[in-house]
């Protein structure tokens, strides 16, 4: 890719190169003939490339083939190298394997070998991505966790244990983002078809079941996006591309008519675990780092289960090139995480949470339950987060009915994690972030004669 330096930022930050080493770098703006991109300039003068690994999953007839093609075209036009990892199950099944002909023992071994084969095929493309001289997008047609949708929980746990596999490595650390394309059998039944697909024979009911199981297999991944059928197919594909661009940190402007946004809600009176659909719980720690400017936030996240951890470095820059916020996330090794902890900002407490991930009506939710030790302002705090393009009554209907949602707090600085972690009093500190979003509207508590009613209001619609 040919590029010329358009402008240089004065700020510097720590990044991890492909060999796992942390280097000092500065951000530069580079321009390719089709699109302006952000790359990192290393201390040796070279531009650091990105390798971003995604999984496209979902039930039959969800648009994975088309979505893969659209993503490939879009990112190649940006100057990226794109690799497409074929679906391992389709490769093996096209060789004459029929599950109906296999014994229970044979089916178990087939699934085990399928995963081993998938890992090796993916690793081949991952290595190619590392050696590429350009930014690289690697699109996996399904991932290793999809196999759990076709095997009982007991057998899956036995398989994981006997191969020394764990969910944090197989699900969270292996891929940067999971995108679940909901089957047309769920919400767009008139478009569901099994024609022109040699390995597809599922009816509508079975397709819905497989769609749910494939989504449930990925619950818990930190960047799991569900692309449903609430819009027409063309818009669905644009939402897919938009979701990847948001996570990578690419400014797409209004070219895709971006509509999805991050929403945050305050929750009271947490119900018992039995009220929840199947969920995954994680221990999470957030550390804020010293940043290069007043409008830049840098933080580390440690997230894990059963003493297996993933590590993420996040840089947030509000109001960059007309966008309300840009976030760039980099996956770290444990060594890099420990090195970056030396830059911890002493003005902030460490944030400790229990994060609960679950699906409701094809909507992916994360429930953050703040834990001690923390600032007294965080005691008992529970926040629900999701990404959605819905609004009004449609948004109300998708929210979990078993949760006591007090109000929407999207963009409310009182519920910003940055502000919640501050050691100083909000009224006197200069570090308090007063405005995170241009639009802080949403749910509000109705008040009458100074008394707050337990009623949610959104665009004129009330919910008792």
């Amino acid at each position: 890719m040919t590029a010329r330096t358009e402008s240089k930022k004065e700020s510097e930050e720590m990044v991890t190169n492909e060999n796992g080493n942390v280097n000092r770098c500065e951000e530069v703006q580079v321009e390719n003939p089709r699109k302006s991109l952000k790359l990192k300039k290393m201390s040796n003068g070279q531009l650091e490339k990105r390798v971003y690994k995604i999984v496209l999953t979902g039930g039959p007839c969800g648009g994975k083939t088309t979505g893969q093609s659209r993503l490939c075209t879009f990112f190649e036009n940006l100057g990226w190298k794109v690799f497409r990892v074929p679906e391992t199950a389709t490769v093996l099944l096209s060789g004459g394997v029929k599950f109906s002909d296999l014994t229970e023992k044979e089916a178990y071994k087939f699934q085990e070998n399928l995963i081993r084969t998938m890992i090796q095929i993916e690793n081949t493309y991952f290595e190619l991505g590392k050696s590429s001289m350009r930014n690289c997008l690697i699109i996996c047609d399904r991932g290793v966790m999809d196999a759990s949708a076709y095997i009982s929980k007991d057998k899956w746990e036995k398989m994981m244990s006997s191969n020394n596999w764990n969910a944090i490595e197989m699900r969270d650390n292996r891929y940067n983002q999971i995108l679940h394309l909901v089957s047309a059998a769920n919400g767009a039944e008139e478009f569901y078809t099994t024609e022109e697909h040699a390995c597809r024979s599922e009816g509508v009911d079975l397709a819905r079941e497989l769609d749910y199981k494939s989504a449930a297999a990925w619950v818990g991944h930190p960047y799991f996006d569900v692309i449903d059928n609430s819009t027409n197919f063309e818009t669905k594909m644009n939402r897919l591309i938009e979701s990847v661009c948001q996570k990578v940190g690419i400014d797409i402007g209004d070219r895709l008519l971006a509509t999805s946004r991050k929403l945050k809600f305050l929750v009271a009176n947490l119900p018992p675990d039995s009220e929840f659909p199947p969920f995954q719980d994680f221990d999470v720690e957030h550390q804020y780092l010293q940043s290069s400017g007043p409008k830049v936030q840098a933080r580390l996240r440690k997230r894990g289960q059963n003493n297996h951890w993933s590590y993420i470095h996040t840089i947030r820059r509000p109001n960059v090139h007309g966008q309300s916020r840009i976030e760039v996330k980099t996956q770290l090794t444990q060594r890099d995480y420990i090195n970056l902890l030396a830059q911890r900002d002493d003005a902030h407490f460490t944030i400790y949470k229990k994060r609960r991930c679950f699906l409701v009506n094809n909507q992916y939710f994360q429930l953050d339950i703040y834990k001690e030790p923390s600032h007294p302002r965080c005691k008992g705090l529970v926040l629900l987060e999701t990404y959605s393009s819905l609004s009004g009554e449609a948004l109300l209907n998708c929210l979990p009915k078993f949760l006591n949602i007090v109000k929407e707090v999207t963009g409310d600085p009182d519920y910003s994690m940055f502000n919640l972690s501050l050691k100083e009093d909000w009224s006197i500190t200069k570090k308090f972030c007063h405005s995170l979003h241009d639009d802080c509207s949403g749910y509000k508590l109705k008040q009458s004669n100074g008394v707050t009613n337990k009623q949610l209001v959104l665009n004129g619609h009330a919910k008792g």
Side-chain angles (χ1 to χ4, degrees), residues 26 31 52 56 83 136 147-148 272 290 320 352 360 402 440 459:
E26 57 189 4
E31 183 181 353
Y52 197 74
L56 296 188
F83 290 116
C136 185
S148 66
Q290 300 172 28
V320 177
Y352 297 95
V360 174
F402 56 86
C440 295
N459 297 336

Side-chain angles (χ1 to χ4, degrees), residues 7 24 38 54 76 97 128 163 178 192 194 264 276 290 292 340 348 363 365 372 385 394 403 423:
S7 64
R24 178 74 59 180
K38 286 183 175 15
I54 68 172
E76 284 180 343
V97 177
L128 286 172
N163 287 277
I178 312 300
Y192 181 77
T194 59
K264 186 184 294 187
F276 284 82
Q290 300 172 28
S292 55
L340 284 169
H348 293 264
Q363 191 73 26
F365 293 95
E372 295 183 349
E385 293 186 358
L403 292 179
K423 293 181 178 180

Side-chain angles (χ1 to χ4, degrees), residues 72-288:
C72 184
T73 300
F74 186 89
F75 276 84
E76 284 180 343
N77 285 339
L78 297 182
W80 287 52
K81 176 65 180 176
V82 180
F83 290 116
R84 293 185 280 184
V85 183
E87 184 180 10
T88 307
T90 299
V91 174
L92 298 182
L93 291 173
S94 64
V97 177
K98 292 184 179 180
F99 268 101
S100 58
D101 296 339
L102 302 180
T103 65
E104 184 176 340
K105 184 177 180 180
E106 288 174 333
Y108 178 91
K109 294 303 295 184
F110 177 82
Q111 289 285 11
E112 187 174 39
N113 284 312
L114 184 151
I115 295 173
R116 290 173 177 169
T117 303
M118 182 184 299
I119 290 173
Q120 186 55 56
I121 292 175
E122 288 179 352
N123 286 347
T124 300
Y125 286 91
F126 294 169
E127 289 297 321
L128 286 172
K130 288 181 181 180
S131 62
S132 174
M133 299 304 294
R134 291 185 282 167
N135 282 336
C136 185
L137 177 70
I138 301 176
I139 308 171
C140 300
D141 191 340
R142 300 195 181 277
V144 292
M145 296 301 292
D146 278 291
S148 66
Y150 299 89
I151 191 172
S152 69
K153 183 179 180 181
D154 291 343
K155 289 180 179 178
W156 175 252
E157 290 177 350
K158 175 185 175 183
M159 189 181 297
M160 294 280 282
S161 177
S162 62
N163 287 277
N164 199 28
W165 296 332
N166 70 79
I168 296 297
E169 292 299 325
M170 298 279 279
R171 180 191 59 216
D172 302 352
N173 290 340
R174 188 168 181 81
Y175 312 100
N176 297 105
Q177 185 181 1
I178 312 300
L179 298 117
H180 179 90
L181 291 161
V182 175
S183 169
N186 191 348
E189 291 81 359
E190 64 271 26
F191 298 104
Y192 181 77
T193 178
T194 59
E195 296 178 2
E196 299 180 1
H197 199 296
C199 297
R200 180 186 297 158
S201 58
E202 303 88 350
V204 171
D205 291 339
L206 179 56
R208 287 174 182 159
E209 180 183 350
L210 292 175
D211 187 79
Y212 174 79
K213 287 182 176 179
S214 64
W218 293 101
V219 167
H221 192 283
Y223 307 112
F224 176 33
D225 294 282
V226 179
I227 313 298
D228 62 19
N229 296 306
S230 58
T231 60
N232 61 43
F233 187 75
E234 186 65 28
T235 305
K236 182 180 183 179
M237 293 297 100
N238 285 346
R239 286 160 53 209
L240 169 68
I241 298 171
E242 172 200 349
S243 181
V244 177
C245 289
Q246 284 179 342
K247 298 298 189 300
V248 174
I250 293 177
D251 179 1
I252 57 174
D254 60 357
R255 291 199 299 160
L256 299 176
L257 298 177
T259 56
S260 181
R261 64 206 186 282
K262 184 178 181 179
L263 302 172
K264 186 184 294 187
F265 303 89
L266 178 65
V267 176
N269 302 325
L270 197 64
D273 292 354
S274 58
E275 295 290 322
F276 284 82
F279 60 82
Q280 293 281 337
D281 278 348
F282 298 86
D283 294 315
V284 180
E285 296 178 17
H286 288 278
Q287 306 274 359
Y288 277 92

Side-chain angles (χ1 to χ4, degrees), residues 179-463:
L179 298 117
H180 179 90
L181 291 161
V182 175
S183 169
N186 191 348
E189 291 81 359
E190 64 271 26
F191 298 104
Y192 181 77
T193 178
T194 59
E195 296 178 2
E196 299 180 1
H197 199 296
C199 297
R200 180 186 297 158
S201 58
E202 303 88 350
V204 171
D205 291 339
L206 179 56
R208 287 174 182 159
E209 180 183 350
L210 292 175
D211 187 79
Y212 174 79
K213 287 182 176 179
S214 64
W218 293 101
V219 167
H221 192 283
Y223 307 112
F224 176 33
D225 294 282
V226 179
I227 313 298
D228 62 19
N229 296 306
S230 58
T231 60
N232 61 43
F233 187 75
E234 186 65 28
T235 305
K236 182 180 183 179
M237 293 297 100
N238 285 346
R239 286 160 53 209
L240 169 68
I241 298 171
E242 172 200 349
S243 181
V244 177
C245 289
Q246 284 179 342
K247 298 298 189 300
V248 174
I250 293 177
D251 179 1
I252 57 174
D254 60 357
R255 291 199 299 160
L256 299 176
L257 298 177
T259 56
S260 181
R261 64 206 186 282
K262 184 178 181 179
L263 302 172
K264 186 184 294 187
F265 303 89
L266 178 65
V267 176
N269 302 325
L270 197 64
D273 292 354
S274 58
E275 295 290 322
F276 284 82
F279 60 82
Q280 293 281 337
D281 278 348
F282 298 86
D283 294 315
V284 180
E285 296 178 17
H286 288 278
Q287 306 274 359
Y288 277 92
L289 307 180
Q290 300 172 28
S291 59
S292 55
K295 293 186 177 182
V296 178
Q297 294 180 15
R299 67 174 184 259
L300 296 176
R301 189 194 68 200
K302 177 182 177 183
R303 177 183 186 270
Q305 295 174 313
N306 303 319
N307 209 31
H308 297 287
W309 303 95
S310 63
Y311 307 92
I312 294 290
H313 177 233
T314 299
I315 294 288
R316 173 186 286 183
R317 293 182 174 86
N319 303 317
V320 177
H321 301 298
Q323 292 199 98
S324 60
R325 185 184 66 194
I326 287 290
E327 285 189 350
V328 178
K329 300 177 186 291
T330 304
Q331 199 159 353
L332 301 175
T333 64
Q334 183 185 34
R335 182 186 64 182
D336 296 331
Y337 173 81
I338 293 172
N339 288 338
L340 284 169
L341 279 176
Q343 300 181 33
R344 185 188 295 120
D345 189 342
D346 291 334
H348 293 264
F349 285 109
T350 300
I351 291 286
Y352 297 95
K353 304 175 184 176
K354 179 171 77 172
R355 174 164 291 174
R356 176 163 295 182
C357 306
F358 56 93
L359 279 165
V360 174
N361 298 324
N362 289 322
Q363 191 73 26
Y364 189 58
F365 293 95
Q366 293 187 157
L367 191 69
D368 282 347
I369 305 163
Y370 283 72
K371 297 164 54 178
E372 295 183 349
S374 63
H375 193 283
R377 66 173 73 98
C378 298
K379 187 175 181 179
L381 182 62
V382 180
L383 296 173
L384 180 72
E385 293 186 358
T386 189
Y387 280 85
S388 179
S389 58
L390 301 175
S391 60
E393 199 69 34
L395 176 59
L396 287 173
N397 292 334
C398 85
L399 295 176
K401 301 295 189 294
F402 56 86
L403 292 179
N404 182 7
I405 298 176
V406 180
K407 60 179 178 178
E408 184 186 351
V409 294
T410 306
D412 187 337
D414 288 351
Y415 297 95
S416 154
M417 190 171 65
F418 180 90
N419 292 338
L420 289 168
S421 66
L422 285 170
K423 293 181 178 180
E424 294 183 344
D425 186 272
W426 287 347
S427 63
I428 61 174
T429 181
K430 294 182 179 180
K431 295 198 69 172
F432 183 85
C433 186
H434 293 276
S435 179
L436 299 177
H437 299 270
D438 293 331
D439 182 10
C440 295
S441 61
Y443 289 104
K444 295 180 182 178
L445 285 174
K446 294 183 69 177
Q447 293 188 346
S448 177
N449 298 324
V451 179
T452 300
N453 299 327
K454 278 191 173 181
Q455 192 174 47
L456 290 172
V457 178
L458 176 61
N459 297 336
H461 299 286
K463 178 183 177 183

